[in-house]
Amino acid sequence: RIGWACGSAKTHNAIRYAHHIARLGRKVLIVQPSIFLITETMKDLSSLTPQIRYRAIHSENSEKAIADIIDHPKHTALDGEVLFITHSALMLLPYFHRKQGWDVIVDEVPQADWCCEFNVPRTHRLITDHFAVDPDARNLADNRYVRVVPSNRPALEAIARNADGDQVWDIFQRFAHILLSPHWAAYVLDDQYTNLMNGGGERRKLLAFAHLKPSLLDGFATATIMGACFEESMLYQLWTTMGVEFRQHKA
């Protein structure tokens, strides 16, 4: 079950709720779309009394933000606190230590779908050599699409990190992240993928698609998503069909 909240002043109210439960000794993970919004929200939280512990981890205050986020729950004190991270960081986390002890609040509805068209008839092997079609995976209702899974994780991890800022790898960086993530299901358009791999036909583009899975929030003590018109969002429509039960947050 996932809670949801909508309407005006949702972030204002959520911060006061987070402050309240942190005072009771709970740990709260607040996930927001941007560093700017995190900075503004922290100003609001700092104005509340009594003071509680809080911290933000993102690319502007850490050279290894994902590693620091993973490390934080392992070494933090046992009392209540609030930790701020971005949407993109949550999507990239391979692990969150003792997540059952954290209440997560996601401010704004995460993007639940992704797609990209790669026109790479000569250079596609830079990415296609590292994933494979999964014939046993459940595909979309439209059987024109086939599920793809990693076949060479170290190579995909190198592209996803792109430590040297390679401009060609940059084209595939997001797709590599999605292929590696357990929280995304990735697909390609079958006929064009087949033409691309065989070098035949006129339609030889790599059309990639992905959808976000509810496992993103599995295991947390509670999970709340806040967003206007939430029941009209792609995430709500998609996750509801996958069996997720949403309850409106009353606090």
Side-chain angles (χ1 to χ4, degrees):
R1 293 180 176 180
I2 298 175
W4 63 276
C6 63
S8 60
K10 61 185 183 304
T11 303
H12 174 89
N13 293 330
I15 289 303
R16 278 142 187 83
Y17 173 71
H19 177 266
H20 170 69
I21 63 175
R23 286 182 58 198
L24 300 177
R26 302 269 287 274
K27 293 188 176 297
V28 186
L29 177 66
I30 295 183
V31 186
Q32 295 190 292
S34 68
I35 295 172
F36 174 79
L37 186 55
I38 287 175
T39 301
E40 294 301 306
T41 305
M42 288 176 65
K43 290 177 184 178
D44 187 18
L45 180 60
S46 68
S47 70
L48 303 180
T49 55
Q51 289 285 312
I52 60 166
R53 285 196 307 114
Y54 61 89
R55 181 187 180 188
I57 304 176
H58 49 67
S59 61
E60 289 187 4
N61 62 21
S62 170
E63 294 182 355
K64 45 185 180 62
I66 299 301
D68 286 344
I69 293 168
I70 293 171
D71 195 54
H72 178 87
K74 297 179 181 179
H75 303 292
T76 188
L78 297 177
D79 60 329
E81 65 176 308
V82 178
L83 175 64
F84 292 86
I85 67 173
T86 62
H87 279 208
S88 59
L90 179 65
M91 300 286 187
L92 295 176
L93 284 179
Y95 170 71
F96 195 92
H97 188 64
R98 294 182 179 175
K99 61 168 58 176
Q100 68 274 14
W102 289 77
D103 298 280
V104 60
I105 299 174
V106 182
D107 191 359
E108 300 300 340
V109 183
Q111 181 179 344
D113 62 318
W114 171 90
C115 66
C116 192
E117 179 181 294
F118 301 99
N119 186 22
V120 286
R122 302 295 181 186
T123 57
H124 66 85
R125 291 196 177 278
L126 290 171
I127 189 72
T128 57
D129 278 356
H130 309 314
F131 68 80
V133 171
D134 183 357
D136 298 322
R138 177 183 294 178
N139 294 325
L140 295 173
D142 187 334
N143 61 13
R144 295 178 301 165
Y145 303 90
V146 291
R147 177 79 180 272
V148 292
V149 294
S151 60
N152 187 341
R153 297 189 71 89
L156 288 171
E157 287 166 358
I159 295 172
R161 286 194 304 271
N162 197 8
D164 297 323
D166 186 286
Q167 288 182 314
V168 177
W169 275 11
D170 183 63
I171 295 170
F172 300 117
Q173 188 172 15
R174 176 63 173 159
F175 190 28
H177 276 302
I178 284 173
L179 287 167
L180 289 166
S181 173
H183 307 307
W184 287 93
Y187 302 83
V188 294
L189 188 61
D190 190 22
D191 61 346
Q192 294 208 24
Y193 175 71
T194 300
N195 289 345
L196 186 67
M197 298 305 291
N198 294 337
E202 296 182 357
R203 303 174 64 193
R204 289 186 289 158
K205 293 182 179 180
L206 178 63
L207 272 71
F209 308 84
H211 66 77
L212 187 63
K213 297 189 288 186
S215 61
L216 180 72
L217 301 178
D218 281 354
F220 286 101
T222 64
T224 301
I225 299 174
M226 305 189 302
C229 303
F230 177 72
E231 291 174 299
E232 299 174 13
S233 69
M234 174 67 76
L235 183 141
Y236 177 86
Q237 300 295 330
L238 179 64
W239 286 10
T240 298
T241 64
M242 299 174 73
V244 174
E245 178 185 347
F246 291 96
R247 299 184 302 179
Q248 186 160 6
H249 200 297
K250 300 300 182 182

